Amino acid sequence: MSRLVNVSLAALRVRYVERGRPLPADLEAALRADERAGARALLAAVARRRAENRAEGQRLRTLLRYERALWAAGVEAVAGVDEAGMSPLAGPVAAGAVIFAPETRIPGVDDCKKLDATERERLAPLIKEAAIAWAVAFVEPEEIDRLNIYWAGIAAMERAVAALGRAPQHLLIDGRRLDRVPVPQQKIICGDAKSFTIGAASILAKTARDALMRELDARYPGYGFARHKGYPVRAHLKVLAARGPCPIHRRSFAPVQQALGICAG
């Protein structure tokens, strides 16, 4: 009980639940001997946190199965690659690439589409800090219109890989192959939900593109780019029909062609 003298249960909750520090065995024993309801509630919260940590650890082990197989074979520089912004009507397509040291784990990393904006923004700097190398590249709307969106996505991923500060030994790619990149690679369908490094790359691509769309909203006000990031939501389609496209709209996309009075069929 001596460890609990002059220490409030609220302070213990902050330290061992909210901050996630390990609860020392003697302090846990003292809490178990404490008959206060607050002590029991604190122990229950610690137990929940431990269970969540175990579940997250298992989730991360599953997400790292592709990477760990390569690491075990001596391939250390494994790059995850993914794109963001294929379906918007405006703005660039982005791609991220990232390499981690073997056994790197960042709790919370997942397919960016499963995470809300706040969680993506929290994770992006953690990914950059933990990475051996990372890069984000863009393909602008004019080039999207010239190449078509599929090849623009490929080009963005090629550029992201080329911009890495360390040459990758193997690529894990979300649903694509980069045939012009002379590096061993693996195409993984829905890879951003199955591979840790691809998921991290998806977060970097998405947060970088979202930040750019917020900047473009200030340059081209009235379209709502900061809110919808150029995606074809109802509000965007309505203003596009009323005002017509601005310079960052993708003119090869059917709704933009319709707003220009061009027959898309």
Side-chain angles (χ1 to χ4, degrees), residues 72-202:
V75 181
E76 293 190 357
V78 178
V81 189
D82 198 10
E83 41 71 17
M86 297 290 282
S87 60
L89 306 179
V93 62
V98 61
I99 299 173
F100 295 109
E103 301 304 330
T104 297
R105 300 184 184 192
I106 304 171
V109 166
D110 205 340
D111 173 3
C112 72
K113 297 184 291 297
K114 296 181 179 180
L115 306 172
D116 62 26
T118 299
E119 185 67 357
R120 291 193 297 266
E121 295 294 340
R122 182 188 74 82
L123 286 167
L126 299 180
I127 292 167
K128 295 173 182 177
E129 181 179 0
I132 291 175
W134 66 271
V136 174
F138 297 95
V139 172
E140 299 299 330
E142 298 85 352
E143 196 171 0
I144 293 172
D145 293 335
R146 186 172 72 252
L147 294 174
N148 80 39
I149 187 59
Y150 175 83
W151 289 108
I154 294 289
M157 289 192 285
E158 290 172 342
R159 292 171 189 177
V161 171
L164 286 169
R166 176 173 176 177
Q169 297 170 285
H170 194 98
L171 305 180
L172 298 175
I173 310 171
D174 183 26
R176 310 282 188 92
R177 285 193 59 83
L178 303 181
D179 293 331
R180 293 177 294 198
V181 178
V183 176
Q185 54 193 265
Q186 185 173 359
K187 167 184 172 181
I188 303 174
I189 302 300
C190 299
D192 45 6
K194 296 177 181 178
S195 159
F196 176 82
T197 50
I198 296 177
S202 78

Side-chain angles (χ1 to χ4, degrees), residues 41-56:
L42 177 57
L43 285 170
V46 169
R48 287 194 299 272
R49 176 181 57 76
R50 287 171 174 167
E52 291 168 357
N53 288 345
R54 286 194 296 272
E56 178 64 2

